[in-house]
Amino acid sequence: MAATFDITGIVQALHDARHSWRQTQRRNSEAGNREFPSRDALAAIIDSLKGVLFPMRLGPPDLRQESEDFHVAHALDAALHALLKQVRRELAYNAGLRGQGGRPVDEEALIAVRSLAAALPGIRALLDTDVMAAYQGDPAARSVDEVLLCYPGVLAMIHYRLAHQLYVLELPLLARIVSELAHSATGIDIHPGARIGAGFFIDHGTGVVIGETAVIGERVRVYQAVTLGAKRFPTDAEGNLQKGLPRHPVVEDDVVIYAGATILGRITLGKGAVIGGNVWLTHDVPAGGRIAQAESREGAFANSIGAS
Amino acid sequence: MAATFDITGIVQALHDARHSWRQTQRRNSEAGNREFPSRDALAAIIDSLKGVLFPMRLGPPDLRQESEDFHVAHALDAALHALLKQVRRELAYNAGLRGQGGRPVDEEALIAVRSLAAALPGIRALLDTDVMAAYQGDPAARSVDEVLLCYPGVLAMIHYRLAHQLYVLELPLLARIVSELAHSATGIDIHPGARIGAGFFIDHGTGVVIGETAVIGERVRVYQAVTLGAKRFPTDAEGNLQKGLPRHPVVEDDVVIYAGATILGRITLGKGAVIGGNVWLTHDVPAGGRIAQAESREGAFANSIGAS
Amino acid sequence: MAATFDITGIVQALHDARHSWRQTQRRNSEAGNREFPSRDALAAIIDSLKGVLFPMRLGPPDLRQESEDFHVAHALDAALHALLKQVRRELAYNAGLRGQGGRPVDEEALIAVRSLAAALPGIRALLDTDVMAAYQGDPAARSVDEVLLCYPGVLAMIHYRLAHQLYVLELPLLARIVSELAHSATGIDIHPGARIGAGFFIDHGTGVVIGETAVIGERVRVYQAVTLGAKRFPTDAEGNLQKGLPRHPVVEDDVVIYAGATILGRITLGKGAVIGGNVWLTHDVPAGGRIAQAESREGAFANSIGAS
Amino acid sequence: MAATFDITGIVQALHDARHSWRQTQRRNSEAGNREFPSRDALAAIIDSLKGVLFPMRLGPPDLRQESEDFHVAHALDAALHALLKQVRRELAYNAGLRGQGGRPVDEEALIAVRSLAAALPGIRALLDTDVMAAYQGDPAARSVDEVLLCYPGVLAMIHYRLAHQLYVLELPLLARIVSELAHSATGIDIHPGARIGAGFFIDHGTGVVIGETAVIGERVRVYQAVTLGAKRFPTDAEGNLQKGLPRHPVVEDDVVIYAGATILGRITLGKGAVIGGNVWLTHDVPAGGRIAQAESREGAFANSIGAS
Amino acid sequence: MAATFDITGIVQALHDARHSWRQTQRRNSEAGNREFPSRDALAAIIDSLKGVLFPMRLGPPDLRQESEDFHVAHALDAALHALLKQVRRELAYNAGLRGQGGRPVDEEALIAVRSLAAALPGIRALLDTDVMAAYQGDPAARSVDEVLLCYPGVLAMIHYRLAHQLYVLELPLLARIVSELAHSATGIDIHPGARIGAGFFIDHGTGVVIGETAVIGERVRVYQAVTLGAKRFPTDAEGNLQKGLPRHPVVEDDVVIYAGATILGRITLGKGAVIGGNVWLTHDVPAGGRIAQAESREGAFANSIGAS
Amino acid sequence: MAATFDITGIVQALHDARHSWRQTQRRNSEAGNREFPSRDALAAIIDSLKGVLFPMRLGPPDLRQESEDFHVAHALDAALHALLKQVRRELAYNAGLRGQGGRPVDEEALIAVRSLAAALPGIRALLDTDVMAAYQGDPAARSVDEVLLCYPGVLAMIHYRLAHQLYVLELPLLARIVSELAHSATGIDIHPGARIGAGFFIDHGTGVVIGETAVIGERVRVYQAVTLGAKRFPTDAEGNLQKGLPRHPVVEDDVVIYAGATILGRITLGKGAVIGGNVWLTHDVPAGGRIAQAESREGAFANSIGAS
């Protein structure tokens, strides 16, 4: 009986392709076995922490207020231990990347997760300001519950505020996975390194990108497809990319940025500035300043206008 | 044995954070216990209704045409009763928000779900026009089946047409959840309050936003990242946002709007108008009018052009 | 006992709506029973093939390097047989659309799946160049593992490179479903017909649209919301859309296109060209050319700047 | 790196073991690929048919009486089509065993499933008499619902009455699987070939065995660990087992058989006979007869009495 | 197209069968809609309570001792509320059977569940004696953990001790379902009404039956297939079965009953009595008494000895 | 708001009950945290090994013979690694019970799993003889496939032969769990320590018990409710149970034991002996001997014969 597929041959060719890649990467087999943090595990942990932060709305459907603390204690305990495992993976992975050394991974992991745990009440308080900002900023919002449960911008902020804490604790992989989970669900891409003040509201949100060194004040409002990006990537004398230099905008308190605006480079939007939709902006705007896109006008042109 | 985490302390701090929020919100415990409609339940209901509307393509994989009606009867009956539960939750929740009064929740819920049920055949007929519009509007489409099963714009329209019916029945929370489910899957954000005529086609779709009071005629075609938004939020004498005033565009029959166009305010795009890609538009366009973006030209500029 | 809902009546009305649609479509019942490829089945197949291509990172969590080949052989065998079923469905469906004839479906399906299988090692090698491009192109990337596991652009490329192979094998429905799965997860919409060279990197990605006849060279970099679209749809003498004509841009090696740029029509961007953010472009750009958007400036305008 | 396990070697040895077995069995590869009916599929089908027979008690938990027929139609249709697949497998398997020939498998399968379907209302009526017998026979039973939902003897009878129908339709494999499903759940082993009249009640049930040619009248009651077995297996002149000869007891109407009784051979228990617990019986009992075990008495014996 | 099955006809016949049964039962449609306690729900509740009683061994696999109380509080709270729902169903069902009246169902349910909750610590202490008895009674047992996790007799006792509490609280349906769950998994059938003292050990267990009014002392040991049954069902003057009269054995402390023994009627086995295997016993045994089965001897008999 | 349940109080009382038990057991918290092998994990491992042993019948439903080895390699590799984890748990647990010392757990575990792996081909060959024995021993069996898939006795033997290998490798906990899984599904309780020759057949099986030191030859046949037990437990001078002494029967080749027979103590049933149903036997039987139960006879007795 002739086999349907030449499995053996293809397996060998795939084996060779992996081998050749690993040689390029000077990667030994031990490195290959190093476990990477698991996206699915983190998704479950973040779901649990949502229920820890907002037990009556994002916790189990049957929860009663009298039992909130029981649920919170149980879910928190389980989530922190699950997170501990993932933190150990990232620390071991990073240690592998840079060669061993330094404080043992287990101890370091425990310190990190304890810090995150201690930060949770503060994160809840910050998220309450975000929820309130969405409620007040959208004429269609009927209640804070609706905002918490339906608004993609709020979902993105819950992920961001947890991811940012992981980033501060020097767990960039975990932070990235947490923010990508929100990116996939909402189309909102906030780098965990960005610093965002209280009362931040993103409406609609699809296509929003906020870069790693962006600094955002309090009560800022942003609409869909807004980019707070880098104008260029600074390089050193040898032409290598320089990491960590401030390269994204500073947005002061009470700024509003309408849909599709592109704000690039380490510029500053002064307190209360209003940036119009579709604007392209690479220079500072003073406090209270207003920037708008020139209006498009009717023109004579053939049937050459599409963009499908 | 020292505990790994100070669960008790963090639970208390989270308890205090919730308490302080609830005091701000003047929310008593009874309100906290009020059940909110469930996103998961609605997702399942909408999936069932898709199978009710298109049994051979979106129903169970093994269905045969001779058994369509059995499946439809069974699934419809189950979905309507499941929906009844969610409608009751929204009505009870709303009644809680505004203080009791008026027709009893159970009776009102039954009336609403019966209305939705009666509207389903009409919704099916409308969706058939949307499917046909996609089929005719995309040179790559090979069959209406392909369009129904693969096009994100069609998925968004199925959700929208059901959500709009819920909106009309004064169930804004349910409507919102249904439309957010499509928003998350497709990047297309249509407010359930918008009014959209037959034969509507959204190609690609990511980033499309259509506002609450938008009015769209028949055979309109829209591409990715198009915004039909509000230019400003009208306020009353005291500076409060005025709800429900018409503030989004009116788009007449046979209009085409290319990718990235931003159309703002209660303006009218006349029958057959064509709006070019990336256009920024806040004024009326006459019937048959054409608006295009000025072309970008090569310029001398340093390495400062990025937007990452 | 009066029934809660008039199920029988609504079922009949839905029956009539289907009947009337089918008459319009001149669709007999046999056609209705023709099975369409299953999105869920394809999602599972693609997940398996990801593990076949990158066993240690996208395969089962507990895999060890010593067992890679066992896993690859088993998963590959199962995935190819599962794919065979779906390929048969598409071929039978297509045969139904155009009337029978030609080589029997089973034989044709086997040839197609064997071709895809044989192409996998080459696809793996190409994806390695995409991963490396992302690693080198993003200053924030710490390791190739991180890139492979976290970057939506890489996910989109895995789907695209598999979908493109299906497209080449004249399985456009399967190809489309595979690419829509990535579109939904990432907001990146690459038509499987596009031709994309090695080392392609999409950063952030939400809103990217790449059309069917686009041709992209090596080491090209693209940011969020970039469109490589058609300017118009060519029609023949009778005004029918002409399919398959080249209508999307040609992008040569080493080009960079920043966020939000819209590039339309069969134009050519020469080797090493740099296209600025938000640019609107419908003409050729020479090798090394640079195109930028005019900067928005502060203007005096009323409170009419929003786009919500 | 040395492999943890010698997978390749063990795989080869297992391969050889299979090969050697298949040679013994003179089994070619085609036979090996012949599909056997699936136990899991039958378990699901039987669960569905339980809901078809008793929709309000064994159907979906939320069913309302007004919707019973919708559920029954839908579930029946799906279950019959699923059964059709399994019937085809048994018929094809059997055809393979005895060489092809006779009526085509598909046609035969359809006839069989139609027969089963037509028998369902009669099976329901018979099961009603079994439920009533349990209710009347057990002083502890409080309602017929309790009996239907809690009594293992009733579960065994539902499986038996369906399995018997399959047996009559010459589908012995399917019949066997259906009865083994009940055997595993209840410890009651009724051969599908047995013929059992209305109003049969098995109390407790663990260890009951009823053989293939047993014939049981109406209103018979049986307790745990009762065997209705064969005394010997008749052989023909060459010493081969003779199949199908009557070899199990005939139990007439209104007989009661207490726990642990062993009744062997083609004997007859006359109408209304009562057989005591632990009895060993291989001869006829007249109508109204009573058989009892001699009482055990206290004896002088060492500590050698156990049976652990 | 002729339908594959006459679904409509069979549905009608099944409808008629149900109708005719309901008429016999004088059951109105309201009664039919009365919800019965759910076996699946109870299975989940009992599983939770097992983890509440033995958190480190029967609770979640990752539990650590330091977090036991958090888990117990959370799981207990959830399980009790879930049980409350099922208790309400039984009380409402019972009220329906006997006509309304008496204390409202909700209040009564709350009292019952609170009683059960208060009894849990005592049940845990009793189960500890059962575990210890198994550990000491079986020479093969290596640790109490092994006993708790592997012995079917211990599983049966956990179910029994919970079911007995439900029985005492006059929730016979729930009690029965809980004990049938164990019966199906272990072949051990203990009526929840039986009264069983501390340190009870059942070895192997398949086929054990213990009746409703059995009374068992402390440190009793029982092997597989032992029946503690009724000799006859007492009837009153009109010949109706008299419920609740003591009709099963009294077994005093330290009795051992070997495999297959059948003990019938309200007899007493005195303290320390030993009953041999397969014994048939319907009279009292004094304290310290020993009863054994006569040995079977070799005999001349044809090939008529089987019991298959 | 008064709490529905006094969770805090009950949690404390349960805490106290656990504490008091642990004090009795002189169990420190470390011991409590020691992980026990997981029943669920073993169930999954055994299911995989079934597919490894019989890939076409007990492996994945879609397997084709040409791909058997790929499946076997993959499943074997995964199952052995999963088993390695469970073996480590047992060894660590046992080490905890007896105090540390001896060969390190990891090394010992690897040796054990390698031994089991090497034994698999031999186990497959033995199981083939069991399957054949069932096929030849039951006049109703139509094919070896039917026997393998439907007969509880064969299922019990697959578990037994694997469990026995674990027992021989001094992993008694794992062995016990594997055999209890079969006990629960079939009612057949074979101690993993028993030694059973080729071609063993158990018919019906419910209630069969085979003790730890039983020795069974080749081609032995056993029916339901047969016990091969110990007559007494030998004790040493101090009255402690002596472990490991031979205390169960020796059954030589070609013996048949009919239903319900109880065979106790270290007696020998000679080659070809036939033991009748319900027999009680504690002495040797010579080769070819036949033992039968005296027949029960009709007697005069009141209505006192039941055993319900």
Side-chain angles (χ1 to χ4, degrees), chain A residues 152-235:
Chain A
V154 169
L155 178 67
M157 285 309 290
I158 298 176
H159 278 248
Y160 158 74
R161 297 215 180 272
L162 291 167
H164 180 63
Q165 195 61 31
L166 293 166
Y167 179 91
V168 164
L169 293 166
E170 298 186 31
L171 297 162
L173 294 185
L174 297 186
R176 172 117 207 181
I177 294 171
V178 170
S179 69
E180 280 301 332
L181 287 166
H183 185 190
S184 175
T186 65
I188 299 171
D189 184 357
I190 310 180
H191 195 288
R195 285 154 50 201
I196 306 183
F200 187 59
F201 173 41
I202 305 167
D203 204 3
H204 307 299
T206 310
V208 164
V209 175
I210 299 177
E212 182 174 15
T213 64
V215 179
I216 299 177
E218 307 204 333
R219 294 171 305 281
V220 169
R221 207 157 82 230
V222 155
Y223 289 85
Q224 70 268 22
V226 161
T227 293
L228 302 181
K231 206 162 64 181
R232 49 173 170 174
F233 298 132
T235 51

Side-chain angles (χ1 to χ4, degrees), chain D residues 68 132 145 204 264 295 305, chain E residues 22 25 93 274 282-283 306:
Chain D
E68 275 183 319
M132 190 50 74
D145 295 322
H204 307 299
L264 302 178
E295 175 98 359
I305 58 172
Chain E
R22 282 166 187 161
Q25 297 292 307
Y93 183 87
V274 178
T282 63
H283 60 80

Side-chain angles (χ1 to χ4, degrees), chain D residues 137-138 151 153 201-206 208 222-224, chain E residues 176 233, chain F residues 308:
Chain D
D138 181 356
Y151 279 47
F201 173 40
I202 305 167
D203 204 1
H204 307 299
T206 310
V208 164
V222 156
Y223 290 84
Q224 71 268 24
Chain E
R176 172 119 209 177
F233 300 133
Chain F
S308 88

Side-chain angles (χ1 to χ4, degrees), chain B residues 125-211:
Chain B
L126 267 178
L127 286 169
D128 283 342
T129 66
D130 299 326
V131 166
M132 190 51 72
Y135 175 62
Q136 290 168 339
D138 181 356
R142 241 160 303 255
S143 75
V144 289
D145 295 321
E146 180 186 351
V147 163
L148 186 55
L149 279 151
C150 302
Y151 280 46
V154 169
L155 178 67
M157 285 309 290
I158 298 176
H159 279 248
Y160 158 73
R161 296 216 181 271
L162 291 167
H164 180 64
Q165 195 63 28
L166 293 167
Y167 179 91
V168 164
L169 294 165
E170 297 185 31
L171 297 162
L173 294 185
L174 297 185
R176 171 117 209 181
I177 292 172
V178 170
S179 69
E180 281 300 334
L181 288 166
H183 185 191
S184 176
T186 65
I188 299 171
D189 183 359
I190 310 179
H191 195 288
R195 284 155 50 202
I196 305 184
F200 187 59
F201 174 39
I202 305 168
D203 204 2
H204 307 299
T206 311
V208 164
V209 175
I210 299 177

Side-chain angles (χ1 to χ4, degrees), chain D residues 36 93 173 176, chain F residues 140-151:
Chain D
F36 203 81
Y93 182 88
L173 295 185
R176 171 118 209 179
Chain F
R142 241 159 301 254
S143 75
V144 289
D145 295 321
E146 178 186 350
V147 164
L148 185 56
L149 279 152
C150 302
Y151 279 47

Side-chain angles (χ1 to χ4, degrees), chain D residues 57 65 68-69 114 132 142-143 145 149 185 204 206 224 229 233 264 295-296 298 301 305-308, chain E residues 4 15 18 22 25 27 33-34 36 93 172 183-184 189 223 227 243 258 274 280 282-283 290 292 306 308:
Chain D
R57 289 292 165 239
Q65 207 158 299
E68 275 183 319
D69 285 345
R114 279 179 174 158
M132 190 50 74
R142 242 160 300 256
S143 75
D145 295 322
L149 280 151
H204 307 299
T206 310
Q224 71 268 24
F233 301 132
L264 302 178
E295 175 98 359
S296 301
E298 189 167 2
F301 53 99
I305 58 172
S308 86
Chain E
T4 311
H15 182 104
R18 291 197 305 273
R22 282 166 187 161
Q25 297 292 307
R27 187 175 269 230
N33 281 333
R34 240 183 285 125
F36 203 80
Y93 183 87
H183 185 192
S184 176
D189 184 357
Y223 290 84
T227 293
K243 282 189 48 174
Y258 286 103
V274 178
W280 169 266
T282 63
H283 60 80
R290 300 174 151 250
S308 86

